[in-house]
């Protein structure tokens, strides 16, 4: 939310502190306009005008007894400076490699000694502003190869022949100087930690293990705390599809022994057991968390109170990261209150009590229905939750059974566990309700959370009318998730969805012995997963598995086991054999029940029924994160009156106007 939504940011950080974390840190904070991260929306301490926003953050963190950490960083050759239009700087004149785009037509210029002196001045100046704002820890952020000090450390990016290049001692010089500058500036009152990469997993060539150890040895006693992670960000923050909890642990073994200063590290440690283990094994003194904290800001309090069952474990989907890439306020699949603390007033643990005794029927126990029932139950309403299947969880159960998505089942498990504790929630399992049965339940309000089905006709982004298919079997993602399999060997999978499901199904089919042609109009498979930093991993996996990637054509028609593909640019056609088709196109809301109930609206009064509301996928298909959010939203806004529809105000923060010229 950064500088665009500063109050929302502060309130969100305050909720983390309330959750019991010892230290709550900001995101990376820009020290100067020559290192601004547009289009990412980060906090800024460019000049004194940014101090008031920083004061709010520190104050709200302090209000709950936590220490406030400010992660100052200069991103050197990893920014395009599209807002400030300044020329980026770095150890070497090379094309920039920004977080959001490695191909911006911008090069950084090589810094001379004067530049280095200037950049050195910016850090302590920003640190003083952070101290004025009230922060207790002021970081030198050197990690991920995104920060200028890491770029000086990198053997690849630093080709200098002056005393900032060549030997490790020289390449570490800027980092050493910055730590010293910061200690001199704010060390009287603030701790100065350094955030450092323990490995370069992007190329492996910037520094090796021995060099990292030498580096820590060289600065061992300078910072007050070492904070370790991996370079680059897509490796450090891999999703559960590609890395297990604690995936960076092998790079943690060793560094702590090289310093007497305390060590903290992240690694998507989502379970308290794993957190305790890495402390006991002496890998760290403090456990760091980003995603586990986003999913459950109250994790420490729950551990402290022995409520381990209540911890809402991160599923490792990185929808949170997509907020950075889409320049939208952060969101989370597991924690729908994330990013909504101010503008909607939601809290990860609390919700306002009921305002009536109205009984609510929630139909469908997918992520939306489960969250809706859970939150209504928490408010104290009498709730009936009905589900066709005897297994709760809807799409999450089906998708979590696919390759790599097992951790997603936590979306269901957490909610079912909470629902089981609430006597005011009655569960109808294995009950597919029709309109008459809904009315017999006698609920005043009905929530239709019945989900969605994938289309079988190919209509979606590319085609607005059905794709002509003759003589070739067609399967949808639902068919595959329900256990159906194509009988032939050669499968054409048309991925018109562009998120994860097409790639995951290609994996599934190849694992089961099929040959898959993945057809996408995009220039790469699963292109939206760039926003979750997974696209490169997906592409590598599909290529390694032997999936044939056909990028840029659309699937046009299929006749007698031959699929015709057409290039979206040239219109050129090619034909590929297809024993079966898998169509991953659009989805259709499963809203028959809502429709049937509306048709019977004349009977509602007699049945005591006041409202019928379709939510989430049953209204308009989207992500699991959106389904959870929609379920929560209904429960948050529900009162025993008219149910809000489209006409709801959205609280926002307005920029301060400059004086008119
Ligand atoms: P969402 O993502 O919106 O939560 P899902 O597709 O995951 O949607 O879940 C919808 C759930 O609703 C499924 O588990 C499905 O079995 C259930 N369902 C659909 N229709 C009915 C019905 N008429 N009665 C009870 N449950 C239903
Ligand atoms: Fe974890 Fe996904 Fe939430 Fe991010 S969005 S914190 S990865 S559950």
């Amino acid at each position: 939310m950064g500088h665009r939504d500063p109050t929302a940011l502060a309130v969100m950080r305050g909720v983390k502190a309330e959750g019991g974390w010892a230290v709550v840190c900001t995101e990376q904070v820009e020290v100067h306009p020559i290192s601004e991260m547009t289009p990412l929306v980060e906090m800024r301490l460019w000049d004194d005008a940014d101090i008031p926003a920083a004061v709010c953050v520190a104050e709200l963190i302090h209000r709950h007894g936590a220490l406030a950490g400010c992660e100052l960083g200069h991103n050197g050759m990893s920014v395009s400076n599209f807002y400030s239009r300044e020329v980026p700087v770095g150890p070497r004149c090379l094309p920039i490699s920004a977080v959001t785009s490695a191909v911006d037509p911008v090069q950084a210029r090589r810094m001379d000694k004067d530049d280095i002196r200037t950049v050195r001045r910016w850090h302590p100046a920003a640190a003083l502003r952070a101290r004025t704002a009230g922060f207790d820890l002021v970081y030198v952020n050197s990690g991920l190869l995104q920060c200028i000090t890491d770029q000086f450390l990198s053997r690849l990016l630093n080709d200098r022949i002056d005393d900032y290049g060549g030997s490790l001692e020289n390449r570490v010089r800027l980092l050493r100087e910055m730590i010293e500058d910061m200690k001199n500036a704010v060390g009287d009152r603030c701790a100065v930690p350094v955030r450092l990469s323990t490995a370069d997993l992007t190329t492996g060539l910037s520094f090796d293990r021995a060099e990292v150890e030498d580096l820590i040895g060289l600065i061992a006693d300078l910072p007050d705390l070492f904070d370790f992670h991996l370079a680059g960000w897509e490796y450090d923050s891999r999703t559960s599809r590609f890395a297990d909890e604690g995936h960076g642990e092998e790079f943690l073994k060793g560094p702590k022994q090289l310093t007497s200063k305390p060590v903290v590290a992240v690694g998507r440690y989502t379970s308290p057991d794993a957190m305790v283990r890495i402390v006991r094994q002496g890998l760290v003194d403090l456990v760091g968390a980003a995603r586990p904290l986003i999913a459950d800001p109250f994790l420490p309090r729950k551990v402290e109170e022995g409520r381990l069952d209540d911890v809402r474990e991160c599923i490792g989907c990185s929808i949170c990261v997509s907020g950075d890439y889409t320049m939208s306020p952060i969101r989370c699949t597991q924690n729908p209150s994330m990013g909504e603390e101010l503008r909607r007033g939601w809290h990860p643990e609390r919700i306002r009590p009921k305002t009536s005794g109205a009984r609510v029927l929630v139909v469908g126990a997918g992520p939306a229905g489960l969250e809706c029932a859970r939150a209504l139950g928490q408010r104290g309403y009498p709730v009936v939750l009905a589900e066709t299947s005897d297994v709760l969880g809807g799409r999450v159960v089906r998708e979590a059974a696919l390759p790599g998505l097992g951790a997603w089942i936590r979306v269901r498990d957490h909610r079912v566990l909470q629902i089981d504790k609430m006597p005011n929630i009655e569960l109808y399992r294995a009950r597919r309700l029709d309109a008459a049965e809904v009315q017999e339940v006698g609920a005043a309000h009905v929530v239709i959370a019945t989900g969605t089905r994938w289309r079988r006709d190919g209509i979606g982004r590319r085609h607005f009318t059905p794709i002509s298919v003759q003589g070739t079997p067609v399967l949808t993602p639902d068919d595959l998730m329900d256990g159906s399999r194509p009988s032939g060997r050669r499968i054409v999978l048309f991925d018109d969805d562009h998120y994860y499901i097409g790639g995951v199904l290609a994996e599934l089919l190849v694992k089961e012995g099929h040959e898959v042609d993945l057809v996408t109009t995009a220039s790469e498979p699963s292109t939206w997963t760039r926003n979750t930093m997974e696209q490169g991993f997906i592409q590598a996996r599909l290529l390694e598995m032997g999936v044939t990637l056909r990028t840029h054509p659309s699937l046009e028609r299929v006749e007698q086991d031959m699929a015709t593909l057409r290039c979206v640019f040239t219109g050129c056609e090619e034909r590929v054999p297809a024993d079966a088709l898998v169509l991953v196109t659009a989805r259709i809301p499963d809203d028959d029940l809502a429709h049937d109930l509306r048709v019977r609206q004349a009977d509602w009064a007699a049945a005591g029924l006041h409202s019928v509301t379709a939510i989430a996928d049953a209204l308009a298909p989207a992500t699991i994160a959106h389904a959870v959010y929609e379920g929560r939203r209904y429960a948050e806004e529900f009162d025993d009156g008219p149910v809000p529809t489209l006409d709801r105000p959205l609280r926002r923060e307005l920029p301060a106007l400059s004086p008119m010229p």
Side-chain angles (χ1 to χ4, degrees):
M1 293 181 278
H3 60 85
R4 186 189 53 205
D5 300 293
T7 321
L9 178 76
V11 173
M12 180 270 282
R13 298 281 179 221
V15 169
K16 311 296 183 207
E18 189 190 349
W21 299 85
V23 181
V24 176
C25 284
T26 63
E27 71 273 33
Q28 193 171 357
V29 177
E30 299 166 359
V31 294
H32 191 273
I34 212 168
S35 172
E36 54 91 5
M37 297 175 71
T38 305
L40 298 186
V41 185
E42 309 289 323
M43 242 181 97
R44 290 175 172 162
L45 276 173
W46 292 0
D47 55 41
D48 288 357
D50 292 315
I51 292 177
V55 168
C56 294
V57 175
E59 262 185 27
L60 286 175
I61 294 172
H62 286 158
R63 195 172 289 176
H64 299 283
L67 296 174
C70 183
E71 233 178 66
L72 295 183
H74 185 296
N75 274 29
M77 306 167 70
S78 299
V79 291
S80 307
N81 286 342
F82 281 147
Y83 179 81
S84 66
R85 304 185 70 171
E86 298 289 353
V87 176
V89 294
R92 182 174 178 188
C93 180
L94 274 179
I96 61 93
S97 173
V99 174
T100 45
S101 163
V103 293
D104 286 342
V106 177
Q107 287 202 196
R109 72 175 168 80
R110 179 188 292 271
M111 292 163 82
D112 62 21
K113 288 276 187 68
D114 278 345
D115 296 328
I116 292 176
R117 273 189 288 276
T118 307
V119 167
R120 276 183 58 188
R121 275 204 310 277
W122 294 339
H123 266 79
L128 285 168
R129 291 192 274 275
R131 189 184 69 175
T132 304
F135 282 92
D136 309 289
L137 295 85
V138 186
Y139 266 74
V140 178
N141 195 356
S142 183
L144 298 176
L145 286 170
Q146 281 163 25
C147 295
I148 195 160
T149 39
D150 238 14
Q151 292 157 9
F152 270 79
L153 278 170
S154 164
R155 281 193 299 245
L156 294 183
L157 298 175
N158 184 345
D159 68 341
R160 303 175 74 92
I161 51 169
D162 61 9
D163 44 6
Y164 287 89
S167 67
L168 180 66
E169 284 79 359
N170 280 355
R171 284 184 284 128
V172 84
R173 189 179 307 280
L174 182 62
L175 174 61
R176 165 188 279 283
E177 288 172 346
M178 276 194 185
I179 300 170
E180 286 167 352
D181 294 343
M182 298 265 282
K183 294 270 296 187
N184 289 336
V186 299
D188 58 330
R189 201 180 70 69
C190 304
V192 178
V194 63
R195 191 145 212 227
L196 217 58
S197 307
T198 50
D200 165 20
L201 298 188
T202 58
T203 60
L205 298 174
S206 285
F207 27 76
D208 56 28
R209 198 171 190 129
E211 226 176 15
V212 169
E213 294 186 357
D214 289 347
L215 154 67
I216 296 168
L218 284 172
I219 56 168
D221 296 321
L222 271 186
D224 296 306
L225 171 78
F226 279 93
D227 185 335
F228 292 132
H229 61 170
L230 303 170
W233 189 19
E234 69 275 30
Y235 287 90
D236 186 62
S237 296
R238 271 173 290 179
T239 58
S240 55
R241 185 172 166 193
F242 293 98
D244 292 333
E245 177 174 28
H247 57 266
E249 206 163 296
E250 64 165 303
F251 301 103
L252 273 183
K253 293 181 180 143
K256 187 172 146 42
Q257 274 61 51
L258 301 169
T259 171
S260 58
K261 299 296 167 117
V263 164
V264 62
V266 290
R268 200 168 50 76
Y269 289 98
T270 60
S271 69
D273 283 345
M275 294 177 178
V276 169
R277 180 179 56 74
I278 58 168
V279 175
R280 289 220 172 119
Q281 288 179 346
L283 300 180
V284 293
D285 302 291
L286 300 125
V287 179
R291 286 174 292 175
L293 141 94
I294 293 167
D296 194 342
F298 275 62
L299 190 148
R301 289 252 181 271
K302 291 175 184 175
V303 172
E304 199 170 36
E305 293 164 9
R307 296 194 290 126
L308 299 192
D309 278 359
D310 292 338
V311 171
R312 199 169 39 244
E313 246 183 289
C314 164
I315 68 166
C317 62
S318 285
I319 277 291
C320 46
V321 172
S322 76
D324 282 78
Y325 281 78
T326 58
M327 294 99 222
S328 44
I330 188 167
R331 64 207 56 204
C332 169
T333 302
Q334 274 287 55
N335 172 13
S337 73
M338 182 71 196
E340 304 298 345
E341 299 85 352
L342 176 75
R343 72 173 176 179
R344 293 205 158 81
W346 296 2
H347 189 274
E349 300 302 311
R350 291 190 298 273
I351 192 164
R352 73 195 164 101
K354 64 181 181 181
T355 53
S356 74
R359 192 155 178 254
V360 185
L361 167 65
V362 179
V363 187
L370 286 173
E371 175 64 11
C372 187
R374 187 209 62 74
L376 284 168
Q378 190 186 0
R379 289 189 62 189
Y381 285 104
V383 178
V384 177
L385 174 61
E387 167 56 50
T388 302
S389 167
D390 57 356
V391 179
L392 304 180
R395 65 180 286 190
V396 159
V397 175
R398 293 142 61 87
E399 293 184 23
L402 295 172
L405 305 186
W408 292 20
I409 200 65
R410 294 172 185 167
V411 173
R412 180 209 52 192
D413 290 350
H414 172 74
R415 289 171 175 83
V416 170
L417 215 104
Q418 300 303 312
I419 286 171
D420 282 346
K421 292 182 190 173
M422 293 186 211
N424 54 328
I425 303 183
E426 204 179 338
L427 207 52
Y428 294 0
R429 281 178 198 259
R431 287 275 299 274
R432 183 173 185 85
L433 298 187
D434 61 23
E437 289 164 326
V438 165
Q439 284 172 310
E440 282 162 22
V441 171
H445 301 274
V446 176
V447 181
I448 306 289
T450 45
T452 181
R453 302 295 291 174
W454 287 90
R455 295 191 76 114
R456 195 175 290 282
D457 55 9
I459 288 177
R461 283 206 160 76
R462 177 70 189 170
H463 296 288
F464 302 116
T465 54
I467 298 176
S468 162
V469 180
Q470 284 164 20
T472 305
V474 173
L475 289 103
T476 68
D478 290 317
D479 295 334
L480 293 173
M481 289 189 281
D482 287 341
S484 299
R485 290 295 180 267
S487 49
R489 189 172 164 76
R490 295 159 311 175
I491 314 298
V492 168
L493 186 154
F494 180 45
D495 184 2
D496 187 46
D497 172 66
H498 303 293
Y499 191 17
Y500 57 89
I501 200 85
V504 169
L505 292 177
E507 260 187 63
L508 174 83
L509 290 166
V510 170
K511 278 193 175 128
E512 294 184 358
H514 297 279
E515 284 170 22
V516 177
D517 283 77
L518 190 153
V519 177
T520 173
T521 53
S523 54
E524 58 196 11
S526 301
T527 190
W528 198 82
T529 62
R530 282 189 167 262
N531 298 310
T532 53
M533 303 194 300
E534 291 174 290
Q535 199 285 324
F537 299 114
I538 292 173
Q539 182 130 359
R541 183 171 285 177
L542 295 179
L543 288 171
E544 281 160 14
M545 292 180 89
V547 173
T548 304
L549 301 180
R550 296 188 184 273
T551 51
H552 298 143
S554 118
L555 175 68
E556 286 301 302
R557 61 187 174 278
V558 186
E559 292 142 336
Q560 306 309 333
D561 299 345
M562 290 300 283
T564 301
L565 314 183
R566 181 184 294 158
C567 172
V568 292
F569 299 115
T570 64
C572 288
E573 291 193 347
E574 62 176 322
R575 281 157 55 88
V576 295
D579 297 329
L581 288 178
V582 174
L583 294 181
V584 187
T585 58
R587 289 180 281 160
I588 304 174
D590 194 348
D591 57 3
D592 290 352
L593 180 59
H595 178 76
D596 291 350
L597 282 164
R598 288 200 188 103
V599 169
R600 293 163 165 249
Q601 198 155 357
D603 308 338
W604 285 13
L609 180 56
H610 297 300
S611 75
V612 173
T613 311
I615 64 165
D617 287 335
L619 181 67
T623 57
I624 296 171
H626 188 71
V628 174
Y629 163 82
E630 283 264 290
R632 176 64 163 269
R633 183 167 186 176
Y634 182 93
E636 288 272 357
E637 295 178 354
F638 176 76
D639 281 305
D640 189 17
V643 174
T645 52
L646 285 181
D647 200 12
R648 290 176 277 192
L650 180 65
R651 182 172 174 178
R652 65 189 166 129
E653 295 192 53
L654 290 170
L657 290 176
S658 299
M660 292 289 277

